[in-house]
Amino acid sequence: MTAAKTGKPIQSITIVGGGTAGWMTAAALSRLLSGIPGLSIKLIESEAIGTVGVGEATIPQINSFNTLLGINEHEFVRETHATYKLGIEFVDWTRLGHSYVHPFGSFGLDMYGIEFHHYWHRGLAAGDSSGLNDYSISGMAGKLDKFMHPQHNNPKSALSKLGYAFQFDAGLYAKYLRRMAETAGVERIEGKIVHVAQHSDTGFVTHVKLDDETEIGGELFIDCTGFRSLLLGEVLGVGFEDWSKWLPCDRAVAIPCSLGGKNEALTRSTARPAGWQWRIPLQHRLGNGHVYSSAHMSQDEATDLLVANLDGAPLADPNHLRFTAGYRHKAWDKNVVALGLSAGFLEPLESTTIHMVQTGIARLMTFFPTTDFSAPEIAHFNKQNVQDYVDIRDFLLLHYTATERDDSEFWNYCRNLEPPSGLADKLEMFRSSGRIIREHNELFTEASWLAVMTGQGIKPGGWNTANSVIDDAETLKRLAHIRHVVSSTVQQMPSQAEFLAANGSAIAAR
Ligand SMILES: Cc1cc2nc3c(=O)[nH]c(=O)nc-3n(C[C@H](O)[C@H](O)[C@H](O)COP(=O)(O)OP(=O)(O)OC[C@H]3O[C@@H](n4cnc5c(N)ncnc54)[C@H](O)[C@@H]3O)c2cc1C
């Protein structure tokens, strides 16, 4: 019998960067790799450089990350001043004056093995006039700012269909994770990296040098340096795939403000003439930002538009950010793995970037290297990573291309974009038969595609006629019953404020 070819275990990991990505990585690796004897994990960050300081809305998958880290949800919510998020409300995206919700969780009830929306579409043709959100427990509760936990182990309950995520203060989140990571033994080093040294033969990074001359080595380096991509982009020279042609927004301005306006357990995205504005309710303030295309709007115009549309008083000066949509061709090269903005960025329309950090960490665990750094495994890691970006890009593009808006040059550009093949296939299938195709375990579910295709005004070409096991009259009766169950369940749910107070996770009366 021959021994498995596994190489030597990694003994030292150096994480470069202490933004959300750096501390998520530190907290996760210190817990998940605690079984490797003698493993040292260091994190270098520079207060002088700082972090992007935005990134406050998440998607439900963050619950798996928190569970993996053994995080107590109520403590986490309190410490990060978080609120519960049940979906995203899109205002003025389809046309001015129109809005819809992309809720988490799922819609209605699948029957006889056929997805719910085929019954809904049939019902509409038979005279029903209900909206899709009437069948979503998350969507309805989100609009009314209500919350309670889902009951996944009770499939008969409408609450089994509820999905939720969080909206939190990015700075407090990084601090919370930092405490966890340091308690688990991660060593934090303050300093600015001024030089990165490589092995003369292999090109592997051997150590980094700080501005005080300290040298820090490592066998595995995690690049969490944000948009700069110091190790992967600058030192290893890994190229960037520029997707601005698909996603032309390349700037953002962010301004937090005091609480105000209507309480909803939803992130709101309002389309503007050259981009869109986010509104993220936290317990103590609102996070706001305006994402825009600099080819279509100046920084001053974008800032004025944001300031004019705040629901409360500004709490800080505008934070201006620049970015390019796209990704690094390889997120892992030699002994450097990039996580977070250093690996790529697609605008935060569906709150996917923190999720990409989480996915990167999970994927790193799956392909965790030994000192051999196996090339086929690294290639696989990179292939899967690129596919994630493609999937997310297509979903984001759906919002931009399926619009009736023709009131600005920006919207005319977006409306006329030729969809890439994956998105084109999905649109064609839905337009011809009402079917939704989801491949290779892509991030967004059928329910998400249904919500946004419907919300953006795409009409299904029909429905799956295998649902004719019940007739039209019975279909209408069942649809009415589902709506009744959803709305009566939502009526009985506590308000978000009551839920937070009852669980000791409120920071103050809201
Ligand atoms: C406008 C905008 C809105 C966003 N909204 C959302 C959202 O709602 N939801 C979501 O999921 N994501 C969102 N994101 C993404 C989210 O902000 C990032 O995914 C997240 O903050 C991770 O950033 P990061 O840690 O990769 O980079 P950064 O926060 O930039 O951190 C970089 C770190 O590297 C360090 N560093 C850099 N160079 C050096 C050096 N030479 N020496 C030492 N240290 C160095 C810095 O000090 C810092 O600690 C948004 C992003 C933008 C731009």
Side-chain angles (χ1 to χ4, degrees), residues 16-22 44-47 49-58 191-194 224-228 230 252 278 280 291 321 323 339-342 345 348 351-355 357:
V16 183
T20 306
I44 306 166
E45 66 176 320
S46 161
E47 272 174 23
I49 294 176
T51 64
V52 297
V54 286
E56 310 201 306
T58 60
K192 184 174 170 193
I193 294 168
V194 290
C224 297
T225 57
F227 288 127
R228 183 164 175 200
L230 176 62
W278 78 74
I280 301 179
V291 174
L321 299 135
F323 53 84
L339 296 173
L341 300 173
S342 57
F345 179 61
S351 320
T352 43
T353 318
I354 292 173
H355 174 75
V357 177

Side-chain angles (χ1 to χ4, degrees), residues 202-246:
T202 61
F204 275 41
V205 172
T206 52
H207 61 271
V208 294
K209 196 169 168 188
L210 304 185
D211 44 2
D212 66 358
E213 303 288 312
T214 313
E215 290 185 356
I216 296 155
E219 289 168 318
L220 172 64
F221 284 82
I222 316 281
D223 184 344
C224 297
T225 57
F227 288 127
R228 183 164 175 200
S229 195
L230 176 62
L231 272 57
L232 191 81
E234 284 188 22
V235 174
L236 297 186
V238 172
F240 186 81
E241 185 74 23
D242 183 333
W243 272 348
S244 339
K245 137 179 143 170
W246 301 114

